Amino acid sequence: MLDLTASTLYIADLPSRTLYLWDAKEHCCAKIPGGGDITKLFFQYCGGSCEETDEALAAFVEGMFKGRERDRMICSFSIAGGERWRTEVSYKSLIEDSGGHSRSVCLMRRLRMEETRSFCAEHRACLDDWLNRGIKNGFVKLYLQPKMNLTRQEITGAEVLARYEDPSKGLLTPDDFIPQLEDAGLIGMLDLYIMERSYRLLRDLRAAGLKLIPLSVNFSKNTLLAPGLLDEVERIGAGFEALRGYMEIEITESVGNVSRPDFTAACAALRAAGYRLALDDFGSEYSNLYMMSAFRFDVIKIDKAVVAEVADNEISRALVESTVNICGKLGIGCIAEGVENKEQAEILTTLGCPDVQGYLIDRPLPSEEFTVKYLEGR
């Protein structure tokens, strides 16, 4: 049994953005006074630091007040009272009979750093079992989001995304489980499984006589730098050599905080094995010019945060145009992510970036639905 230094239950009223603290002894809720910055109040009452707010936990608190209908959990670190603590936060939104979000329940447990090892091992084991069961029982689903060349009005490929159809919680999106898998060091298992399933999908499409399009799969930082990655990739690709030209690997966000030599070596090994490589989320916090200059990628994907402001922000337009020009000089493809409306699409095309991906084209679709909609009869 872990010695929990503190466990705190909060009730958050979503419409009024009011935070209540549950009193276990009195069995009642007490409104937290202050009425100011909810995030700071949250940190203050859980013993965290208001001066050095943890960004992940702050984002979690803000997300809590958006009233998402799902379970969420993050693991974060904060400093309180001169000692290091580990913070585990779990969240559940409650729904009114009318269907609108009413309140959310948030349980915070804080453990001293020296007490977390067994907790982490136990949590990792649970996630490992959850993921293995999902793979074995077919709960992990492939969803494909199309990429389109706007000038030719042609589907040029698709990004393969994971969903988890949990028997008790329903369909879970990547935000619900990928951060936890990354924290637990289990994301590589999912990344490689999605690659294997994508190869099988290409094989089935070819066997059915359907049009083949390039599929891109995501490799996280942890997957990219894992020992023995190339051996695993070669094992998965054995027997699919003729389809390798249709498989593209997207190096996902947060690669910017890895060593440049390690990053370059890992990318070079995958390129030597015959894989096309794309740098994802270009223009975000981590995926920047420094990483772009570390390796000559086949494709640069402009981050959706840049695309979202392209209609109203002159700097965003200049960034897109400059990226397109650099890619053109180097013979690198360029795709804009997160395109949601026609105005963005028209501006991107004018700036020389007609290759796009986003909800304007289509949402991520189950692989079977994507096949029927985009590949059959073509």
Side-chain angles (χ1 to χ4, degrees):
M1 183 70 115
L2 290 174
D3 178 19
L4 297 180
T5 305
S7 292
T8 310
L9 180 65
Y10 297 92
I11 306 294
D13 183 74
L14 303 178
S16 66
R17 293 181 64 86
T18 304
L19 200 60
Y20 296 87
L21 180 63
W22 175 257
D23 189 323
K25 292 182 179 179
E26 301 294 332
H27 296 281
C28 64
C29 287
K31 182 177 179 180
I32 292 180
D37 189 319
I38 289 293
T39 301
K40 288 186 177 180
L41 285 174
F42 189 87
F43 274 88
Q44 179 183 356
Y45 275 81
C46 72
S49 168
C50 294
E51 291 74 24
E52 298 181 6
T53 301
D54 182 288
E55 291 183 5
L57 195 50
F60 178 90
V61 174
E62 181 60 30
M64 181 171 70
F65 284 98
K66 292 180 181 177
R68 297 179 179 176
E69 186 182 358
R70 62 185 68 166
D71 296 325
R72 298 177 64 209
M73 200 232 349
I74 66 166
C75 295
S76 181
F77 291 94
S78 60
I79 300 206
E83 299 178 84
R84 289 197 62 83
W85 303 78
R86 186 176 198 275
T87 302
E88 183 221 3
V89 188
S90 55
Y91 159 93
K92 178 68 178 178
S93 62
L94 305 178
I95 312 301
E96 291 178 331
D97 293 338
S98 62
H101 294 281
S102 176
R103 290 180 173 84
S104 63
V105 177
C106 189
L107 175 66
M108 169 168 282
R109 296 194 297 170
R110 296 174 59 244
L111 300 86
R112 295 183 191 278
M113 290 288 287
E114 60 269 18
E115 297 171 336
T116 63
R117 185 167 299 174
S118 58
F119 171 80
C120 292
E122 179 184 356
H123 179 57
R124 187 184 190 281
C126 290
L127 281 174
D128 187 36
D129 178 67
W130 177 83
L131 181 56
N132 274 295
R133 281 188 289 109
I135 290 174
K136 180 180 179 181
N137 296 314
F139 299 152
V140 178
K141 307 291 186 180
L142 294 193
Y143 273 59
L144 275 62
Q145 186 171 35
K147 304 172 186 178
M148 173 179 276
N149 181 282
L150 296 172
T151 303
R152 303 195 304 270
Q153 289 294 296
E154 176 186 357
I155 298 299
T156 57
E159 180 177 358
V160 185
L161 303 163
R163 299 288 187 270
Y164 193 108
E165 195 159 323
D166 192 284
S168 60
K169 299 177 182 178
L171 189 66
L172 303 179
T173 64
D175 286 345
D176 296 314
F177 56 88
I178 283 184
Q180 296 182 54
L181 294 177
E182 288 180 334
D183 288 343
L186 296 170
I187 190 64
M189 185 191 308
L190 178 65
D191 287 346
L192 292 173
Y193 175 70
I194 295 299
M195 173 180 254
E196 183 176 353
R197 285 283 306 276
S198 299
Y199 263 131
R200 281 189 264 157
L201 175 59
L202 287 168
R203 177 198 62 194
D204 294 344
L205 292 174
R206 184 178 62 179
L210 298 178
K211 176 184 177 181
L212 296 184
I213 60 173
L215 300 181
S216 57
V217 297
N218 293 297
F219 274 16
S220 75
K221 170 190 68 178
N222 292 337
T223 304
L224 180 68
L225 301 180
L229 170 66
L230 191 59
D231 291 338
E232 282 297 302
V233 168
E234 292 286 28
R235 178 189 62 79
I236 290 170
F240 296 114
E241 288 80 7
L243 299 172
R244 190 162 298 187
Y246 292 96
M247 187 67 67
E248 180 178 272
I249 297 172
E250 292 189 14
I251 310 301
T252 59
E253 60 186 323
S254 80
V255 294
N257 58 354
V258 305
S259 78
R260 186 183 177 101
D262 290 344
F263 176 77
T264 302
C267 291
L270 291 171
R271 167 69 59 70
Y275 289 95
R276 288 171 50 84
L277 299 178
L279 180 61
D280 199 12
D281 304 319
F282 183 75
S284 68
E285 178 181 359
Y286 294 111
S287 188
N288 52 37
L289 284 171
Y290 177 75
M291 302 315 295
M292 182 182 182
S293 66
F295 186 81
R296 185 181 286 246
F297 288 89
D298 298 287
V299 177
I300 298 296
K301 299 188 74 176
I302 300 175
D303 187 64
K304 60 185 178 182
V306 177
V307 172
E309 298 184 353
V310 76
D312 304 312
N313 190 318
E314 183 180 358
I315 296 176
S316 293
R317 291 194 295 275
L319 178 58
V320 170
E321 187 173 25
S322 298
T323 303
V324 169
N325 290 337
I326 292 172
C327 289
K329 290 180 180 179
L330 298 175
I332 297 173
C334 187
I335 296 177
E337 296 183 280
V339 179
E340 296 185 350
N341 56 61
K342 291 183 178 180
E343 183 180 15
Q344 292 171 348
E346 291 171 358
I347 292 172
L348 289 165
T349 302
T350 302
L351 294 175
C353 187
D355 290 294
V356 301
Q357 176 183 344
Y359 274 64
L360 175 65
I361 310 305
D362 212 337
R363 71 188 193 284
L365 301 171
S367 57
E368 301 83 1
E369 186 177 339
F370 183 94
T371 299
V372 172
K373 186 171 184 178
Y374 290 108
L375 302 180
E376 289 186 359
R378 297 199 176 202

